[in-house]
């Protein structure tokens, strides 16, 4: 509280990319470029006072114009209004403050992304390896692009940009070192592949990458990396490799093992360094998941849970089960067996977790996210949400809201609820500085807006997703926006990604058939529609009846199960209703009409991928 009794809203400032600011979860509109540059200069000063004459020198190259000091004061005033829009008149500023002959940024250290990254990196240097992995993964996630991106041509910013680029490289190598210390050589390779290309003169990057390959029993690849390092250093700097690289090369040639690992199974989740490595598994698997390496996540997640359960520590098991911060945006799992096993482990562990509400909340949210297409876990999601609100834990609230979004399918017609959940998820993720959940929230909202027929707003969300995905290197997120544009803006048909079988299996054939039905086109025969995957029970009856096999269609209609409670339930019920009507199955017609009735004012388009048109038209026939 301030002296006047008002609540001070914490401002969050980002310079690891474009210069941005947020307050109370909302993006602040920063004024003209000069005022943004003043903010950037103050951030670079690290909270120290910047004299007005120094600001003049930074803002104008060469001789400043007459009135430059007055202009600086104007820029500062504009900046203060932008950063504190609700500050009452004639009250002193609290963010950009006047100190002596200049100005300073008066915010907590964690309010600026560049300051927070430096703190995390410093803490990680003295932390145990598993803790270091978590700290450094959070540090790397803060980058949204090149530091001070729009000011790259300004002379004053060059030393600060160089310092931050070096800091990012240091953090990357620190993380690689911590991963190796926790037995996670498999995760070091993708982390450092691009790094050594961007920083070819940093010997530690080459050494850590070659070490990881050596520990993965890939001696030829390790030697290739070491020889590339030797060529780069010799040709570009005229230097020989240092003793660490030379010793490692000899070790690989002699096929000697490092003392830090044993020559047995090199699974990332074997028994070596069990507890420390398992504690770190959530952060590492999360990093792999959001970067798109879903196959590795699926391969390693269940093994880590099984290893934790063998140790007999319920809190450790709970942290491993609930440690993956990968939100759900599609209601069909990529691996049903894995999802069921994760849910079973969470249910087994939940009664044994006492005295740790955060851990309990993460388990509950994990159950809600993983048990998809059932709408049977909303109670768990709501309890996780309550715990997060009671604790004011924004990261947990992001996870809980993601679980609620996956469960809000108890009937058709609930798109408005999911739109509100998605909007809150975006706002919470902004406060939590989680790009992952910002993307997820915008996709959830885009999907719901399609069902509500608010396609212009859905298109705006798609644009936001694409921008976030590009800046944070989250390529799989654009799968959903590409399909949105194909379905609603006549964009090209995207490929179905192999990394996401829960999404891709059957979606192309379903989308094509549904578009033909909606537009009155001629349907292919039952054997010519392509791979309908899990959607066949609700599509095949209509293909049969349109092909003239009315009896077969009637049998198929009556044998079709109720569609899952998921993003495509309105589409599935609509196709089943149409087939039942044409095949003469009035009992199924009544069942489908009852199921669709709550969505009468929506479109059968809640996935943002497949559009069967207005539900009212489907009900009318």
């Amino acid at each position: 509280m301030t002296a006047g009794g008002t609540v001070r809203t914490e401002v969050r400032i980002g310079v690891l990319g474009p210069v941005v600011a947020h307050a109370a979860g909302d993006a602040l509109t920063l004024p003209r470029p000069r005022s943004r540059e003043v903010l950037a200069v103050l951030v670079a000063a690290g909270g120290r006072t910047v004299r007005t004459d120094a600001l003049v020198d930074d803002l104008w190259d060469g001789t400043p114009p007459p009135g430059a000091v007055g202009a600086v004061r104007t820029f500062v005033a504009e900046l203060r209004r932008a950063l504190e829009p609700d500050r009452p008149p004639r009250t002193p500023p609290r963010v950009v403050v006047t100190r002596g002959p200049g100005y300073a940024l008066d915010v907590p250290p964690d309010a600026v992304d560049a300051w927070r990254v430096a703190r995390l990196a410093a803490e990680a240097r003295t932390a145990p390896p598993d803790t270091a992995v978590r700290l450094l993964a959070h540090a790397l996630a803060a980058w949204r692009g090149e530091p001070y991106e729009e000011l790259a041509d300004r002379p004053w910013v060059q030393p600060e940009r160089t310092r931050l680029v070096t800091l990012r490289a240091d953090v990357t190598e620190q993380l690689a070192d911590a991963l190796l210390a926790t037995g996670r050589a498999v995760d070091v390779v993708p982390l450092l592949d691009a790094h050594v290309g961007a920083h070819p003169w940093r010997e530690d990057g080459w050494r850590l990458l070659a070490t990881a390959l050596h520990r993965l029993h890939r001696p030829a690849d390790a030697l290739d990396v070491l020889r590339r390092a030797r060529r780069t250093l010799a040709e570009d700097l005229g230097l020989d490799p240092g003793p660490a690289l030379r010793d490692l090369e000899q070790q690989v040639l002699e096929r000697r093992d490092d003392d830090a690992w044993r020559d047995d199974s090199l699974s990332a989740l074997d028994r070596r360094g069990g507890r420390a490595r398992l504690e770190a598994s959530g952060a590492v698997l999360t990093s792999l998941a959001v970067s798109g390496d879903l196959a590795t996540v699926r391969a390693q997640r269940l093994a880590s849970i099984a290893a934790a359960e063998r140790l007999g520590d319920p809190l450790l098991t709970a942290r491993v089960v609930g440690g993956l911060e990968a939100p759900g945006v599609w209601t069909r799992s990529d691996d049903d067996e894995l999802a069921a096993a994760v849910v079973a482990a969470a249910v087994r562990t939940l009664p044994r977790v006492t005295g740790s509400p955060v851990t309990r909340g993460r388990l509950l949210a994990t159950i809600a996210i993983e048990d998809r297409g059932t709408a049977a876990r909303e109670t768990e999601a709501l309890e996780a949400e309550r715990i997060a609100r009671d604790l004011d834990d924004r990261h947990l609230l992001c996870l809980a809201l993601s679980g609620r979004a996956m469960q809000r399918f108890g009937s058709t017609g609930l798109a408005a609820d999911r739109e509100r959940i998605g909007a809150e998820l975006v706002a919470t993720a902004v406060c939590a500085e989680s790009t992952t959940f910002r993307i997820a929230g915008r996709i959830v909202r885009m999907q719901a807006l399609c069902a509500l027929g608010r396609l212009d707003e859905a298109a705006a969300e798609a644009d936001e997703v694409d921008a976030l995905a590009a800046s944070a290197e989250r390529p799989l997120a654009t799968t959903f926006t590409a399909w949105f544009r194909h379905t609603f803006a006549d964009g090209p048909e995207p490929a179905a990604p192999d990394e996401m079988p829960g999404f891709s299996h059957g979606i192309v054939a379903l989308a094509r058939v549904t578009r033909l039905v909606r537009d009155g086109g001629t349907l292919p025969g039952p054997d010519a529609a392509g791979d309908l995957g899990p959607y066949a029970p609700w599509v095949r009856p209509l293909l049969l009846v349109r092909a003239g096999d009315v009896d077969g269609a009637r049998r198929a209609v009556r044998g079709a199960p109720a569609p899952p409670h998921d993003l495509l339930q309105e589409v599935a019920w609509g196709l089943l209703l149409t087939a039942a009507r044409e095949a003469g199955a009035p009992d199924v017609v009544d069942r489908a009409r009852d199921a669709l009735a709550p969505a009468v004012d929506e479109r059968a388009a809640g996935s943002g991928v497949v559009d069967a048109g207005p539900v009212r038209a489907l009900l009318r026939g």
Side-chain angles (χ1 to χ4, degrees), residues 197-244:
H199 304 278
W201 305 290
R202 293 178 66 102
E203 286 198 32
D204 272 353
W206 294 107
R207 176 183 61 79
L208 291 163
L209 177 56
T211 299
L213 291 165
H214 181 33
R215 294 186 183 182
L216 292 170
H217 284 183
R218 294 168 57 183
D221 292 333
L223 287 172
D224 179 64
V225 165
L226 291 166
R227 286 162 184 171
R228 279 194 290 135
R230 181 185 293 277
R231 285 196 304 273
T232 300
L233 294 168
E235 292 173 6
D236 294 344
L237 296 179
L239 297 175
D240 291 328

Side-chain angles (χ1 to χ4, degrees), residues 327-611:
V329 293
W330 191 251
T331 43
R332 187 174 289 276
S333 174
D334 289 327
D335 187 329
D336 290 334
E337 290 185 8
L338 171 61
V342 171
V343 170
V347 170
R348 283 194 300 272
T349 307
L350 196 59
R352 304 173 65 200
V353 175
T354 58
S356 179
V358 171
T359 303
R360 178 177 176 81
R362 294 182 72 88
L363 276 181
L364 291 163
T366 298
I367 291 170
I369 289 173
E370 295 294 342
D371 196 1
R372 305 180 191 184
T374 66
R377 298 294 187 175
E378 193 163 19
T379 299
E380 284 87 344
L382 286 167
E383 186 181 348
E385 186 179 339
R386 178 190 60 76
I387 292 171
R389 294 189 193 281
D390 288 348
L391 297 174
D392 193 24
D393 187 326
R394 291 169 177 169
H395 286 282
L396 178 57
L397 184 56
C398 284
L399 207 62
L401 289 171
S402 184
R404 279 207 67 201
M406 290 295 93
Q407 293 297 322
R408 197 66 183 129
F409 294 94
S411 71
T412 63
L414 295 175
D417 289 355
R418 296 195 298 275
E419 189 275 328
R420 286 189 290 271
I421 293 168
E424 184 177 6
L425 180 52
V426 172
T428 305
V430 169
C431 294
E433 297 191 336
S434 171
T435 300
T436 298
F437 284 100
R438 283 174 67 192
I439 291 172
R442 291 198 178 279
I443 292 175
V444 167
R445 190 163 185 265
M446 179 191 77
Q447 293 165 336
L449 289 167
C450 291
L452 297 172
R454 292 154 58 184
L455 298 182
D456 288 345
E457 293 177 70
E461 291 291 352
D463 291 342
E464 291 286 348
V465 170
D466 285 348
L468 286 167
S471 64
E473 298 181 357
R474 309 290 168 84
L476 292 182
T478 60
T479 297
F480 300 100
T481 57
W483 274 96
F484 164 78
R485 293 190 176 91
H486 169 62
T487 301
F488 296 98
D490 292 324
E493 182 179 273
D498 293 336
E499 303 94 324
M500 301 162 62
F503 172 82
S504 60
H505 188 202
I507 200 68
V508 173
L510 174 66
R512 289 173 181 170
V513 169
T514 305
R515 177 175 288 219
L516 289 170
V517 173
R518 187 189 70 224
D519 297 343
T522 301
L523 297 187
D527 298 323
D531 182 6
L532 291 163
Y535 310 109
W538 307 289
V539 180
R540 188 169 176 79
L542 189 56
L543 300 181
L544 288 168
V545 75
R546 294 286 176 91
D549 186 358
V550 176
D551 289 340
R554 191 179 300 116
R555 288 192 298 273
V557 160
R558 287 182 169 146
H565 294 278
D566 64 9
L567 286 160
L568 288 161
Q569 62 178 330
E570 289 88 356
V571 170
W573 278 118
L575 294 173
L576 198 61
L577 171 60
T578 303
R581 189 182 284 128
E582 294 182 16
D587 51 332
V588 180
V589 169
D590 291 343
R591 185 162 62 105
R593 287 177 61 86
D594 288 346
L596 281 171
V600 64
D601 294 322
E602 295 184 4
R603 292 185 74 89
S607 66
V609 171
V610 179
D611 178 21

